[in-house]
Amino acid sequence: MPATIVLGTQWGDEGKGKAVDYLADGMDLVVRYQGGNNAGHTVVAEGRLLKLQLIPSGILYPHITPVIADGVVVDPRHLLKELDEVRRTGVEVSRLRLSGNCHLIMPYHLELEKVTQRFLGRNALGTTKRGIGPAYADKAARIGLRVQDLFDERIFREKLEIVLREKNAILTKLYGRLPLEGDAIVEEYLELAGELRPYVTDTSALLHGALRAGRHVMLEGAQGTMLDLDKGTYPFVTSSNPVAGYALASAGIGPKEVERVVGIVKAYVTRVGAGPFPTEDLGEDGERLGVRGQEFGTVTGRKRRCGWFDAVVLRYAARVNGLTELFLTKLDVLSGFERLRICTGYRVDGQTFEDLPPHQSLFHRAEPVYEGIDGWLEEIDDARTFEDLPKGARGYVRRIEELVGVPVSVVSVGPAREQSLPIG
Ligand code: IMP
């Protein structure tokens, strides 16, 4: 059976948790493929509000095996805490499978991120301070520690000793901080290892077997395309690759397995942290979107920057991910606007771009070219079919499809499962 990739198409916070939860119904395995506990999924299921950061939202379905694949960076303290929270809501968590190849977020990653972001001053990226960047940097530098290292005390100690020598030199000599104690880290992490052990599996073999047995696999990305390390607005990005291609590298399956690539799209755009955002609205309309959409970060509580729908960004996301369909979220937030704006291109130095400008500096200076479109005044959160929506709302969805050239398969008008309206 083919696999489905589900990912964010903007700067994250597109409502992936809700969409993944909806799509997970027909799946047997749900795989998280990158990022760490910098992501935050809020899921409302059967009246329960759950905030998931590392665990795939498929955990809520008893028939689904949730999997954390190689490309995710894992803070073991956080994972165990999250498992505990989910367990306390009455959900059985023993089905979780964790790859032994995942890199660990270590205490020095958190410490180093704090001091380096402070050091950058007004040039700081505004990261989530979860140690994500430093952990991926060590992975690339080949000095990272992995989940599997936790199960060999000698190796764990040896690797930690080597890496801590360098990290402590940086912390003490460069940043004037206290050094971290190797023994204390070993003691804590080996204790956590015992608790993690039952979940650790060869996830690539598990997925291969599942696909061969005709089971449905969904690969779930965190953050969004514009935060991708290679394809996003570098350096204002996260340190992993949310794009579809990476789902395969992380899960360890081949491209022929993938049939659907679902892009999660918010009906307007938000961004947290620094970096270019051409359709940002700093006026009343942006404020209104933020209030109606409750645009505050799940992880850091930061207020999200808000703006109009950007078809250039979505066309780009459709191209780099090979999107086959769109899942449009938070359409209800746009109720009450008589007219809406959609960005169809950018103007930079008198030149018009319909695609992302080829140089980052041009993108920084991009002025949106807007078209106006009729909105709708009534609330739409009680709509249960696409046809229930007012003419303006349907027109808005159809215009997005036209501008991007990818069909919208589901429109979401609220956080609950029954507020997802399938089209066609
Ligand atoms: P990091 O992922 O913590 O390294 O942060 C890098 C950038 O990605 C910052 O601008 C963060 O605000 C942003 N970011 C990371 N995770 C998320 C997310 O789940 N939603 C939205 N933005 C995110």
Side-chain angles (χ1 to χ4, degrees), residues 11-13 38-40 125-128 132 223 227 237-238 272-273 302:
W11 279 278
D13 309 314
N38 49 347
L125 300 179
T127 69
T128 59
I132 307 294
Q223 288 86 42
L227 287 172
V237 291
T238 192
V272 243
R302 286 180 292 177

Side-chain angles (χ1 to χ4, degrees), residues 349-384:
D349 305 335
Q351 207 187 335
T352 302
F353 292 86
E354 287 192 351
D355 203 346
L356 233 57
H359 196 288
Q360 181 74 7
S361 324
L362 297 176
F363 190 59
H364 276 261
R365 287 185 283 123
E367 290 290 333
V369 177
Y370 285 118
E371 68 174 33
I373 182 166
D374 281 341
W376 60 97
L377 298 179
E378 55 273 63
E379 294 297 342
I380 57 172
D381 50 330
D382 57 355
R384 290 299 172 265

